[in-house]
Every structure is written in C-alpha cells, then in structure tokens.
Amino acid sequence: MSTRYAVVPAPFGPVTVGVADGAVTDVRFPHADGSAATDAMGVRADPGEDPVLAEAVRQLAGYLAGDRRVFDLPLRLRGSAFQRRVWEGLRAVPYGTTTTYGALATALGLDPRTTARAVGAANGANHLPIVLPCHRVIGADGTLTGFSGGLERKRELLALEARVASGTGTLF
C-alpha cells in the first residue's frame, strides 16, 4: 500500500491528508513548530493525480472554510474492532455539538461506568481527526480533554463549528 498525501492550509497550520488504495488513511495536524506532519507519509502528490486525494482535499478545505459539515469519503480504519466501533460512533455526533466519553459509550450500547475511559483511549487513537470528529468529545464536567492535535486546536475546531452552526460567521 503506497500512501500519497497532500497538505491543506488551515488557520492553525497545515493539515496533511493521506490516501492509499482508494481510501483516506490519515489526517494529521501540524507539528508543534508549525510544519506539516508528513513524516513517513509516503509521496507528496498533486491532488489532481488521484481522485480520492482531490476529494479529501476539497472536503477538508470546505470544512475549514465553514462550508462543509459532513464528510463523505472512503476511509481505511486501522485499529482494533473496539476502536473502529468508537470511531464509527463519532460520525453520529452532530456538527456544532459536543458529547462526553460516557455519552458516546452509552450511544454505542456500552456501560459508561466501565468503558468511558476505553472510549476515550480509542478516541485518542483516531488517525482520521476532523473527518471522524473526535474533537466533539469532551469531559463529563464539560472541560476540553486530551486531543491529538492539542487542546488549542480542539478549541478552534469547536469554535469554528459553533460559529457556522449559529450563523455568526466563519473562521475566514
């Protein structure tokens, strides 16, 4: 499986999206220094050379511009059956809203008293953030908790969605 990637400009730094064999495999936030996270991603490609890459770039750019709320892309999920179940559950969290780890566990038919932390760990292992909206999951007390892209990016994504959902403008 040879991964091809492109970099999408975002207000918080470049987002890298990778595709292989007709499916999106990765979405990565920039490194702490602001550079694109392309380490071991494969080959940088012109999105015009790969229809799935072109569509992933178009949809990510649309989301970041406040023009897209739902992603419709072929995805390749890499993880355990439990992780994949949690990641699929993220798709049901509506744009512009948040849920908790416990509520997500309940929505998945799990006992939140025994699985909320495991749901949180699976959420943290999501390799397709934004597309599978792990940023919409917060702590039971309403605080922003762990996020692979950093809490400031989580805050920015939630603020973008809140502005778009309320009709008060977009990030750009």
Side-chain angles (χ1 to χ4, degrees), residues 116-143:
R117 287 188 181 184
V119 166
N123 201 46
N126 177 12
H127 57 96
L128 294 166
I130 303 176
V131 175
L132 296 177
C134 52
H135 60 279
R136 296 180 190 153
V137 185
I138 61 174
D141 62 359
T143 59

Side-chain angles (χ1 to χ4, degrees), residues 1-151:
M1 174 169 67
S2 174
T3 303
R4 299 163 60 99
Y5 71 87
V7 177
V8 180
F12 46 75
V15 175
T16 305
V17 58
V19 302
D21 297 330
V24 178
T25 59
D26 295 275
V27 174
R28 295 184 183 176
F29 291 104
H31 291 299
D33 68 1
S35 64
T38 60
D39 329 10
M41 276 292 287
V43 178
R44 188 167 187 153
D46 177 341
E49 297 172 4
D50 183 309
V52 174
L53 184 58
E55 186 61 16
V57 166
R58 188 183 74 75
Q59 289 189 27
L60 276 167
Y63 170 85
L64 292 164
D67 297 329
R68 173 171 286 277
R69 295 177 181 219
V70 177
F71 289 90
D72 181 24
L73 296 165
L75 306 177
R76 175 153 303 111
L77 304 179
R78 298 184 315 271
S80 70
F82 179 80
Q83 287 172 323
R84 290 190 310 271
R85 183 176 176 188
V86 170
W87 299 334
E88 288 294 339
L90 293 171
R91 292 181 195 238
V93 181
Y95 183 94
T97 69
T98 58
T99 192
T100 65
Y101 298 101
L104 181 56
T106 299
L108 294 171
L110 304 168
D111 182 346
R113 296 169 298 176
T114 58
T115 61
R117 287 188 181 184
V119 166
N123 201 46
N126 177 12
H127 57 96
L128 294 166
I130 303 176
V131 175
L132 296 177
C134 52
H135 60 279
R136 296 180 190 153
V137 185
I138 61 174
D141 62 359
T143 59
L144 299 186
T145 58
F147 185 61
S148 65
L151 292 182

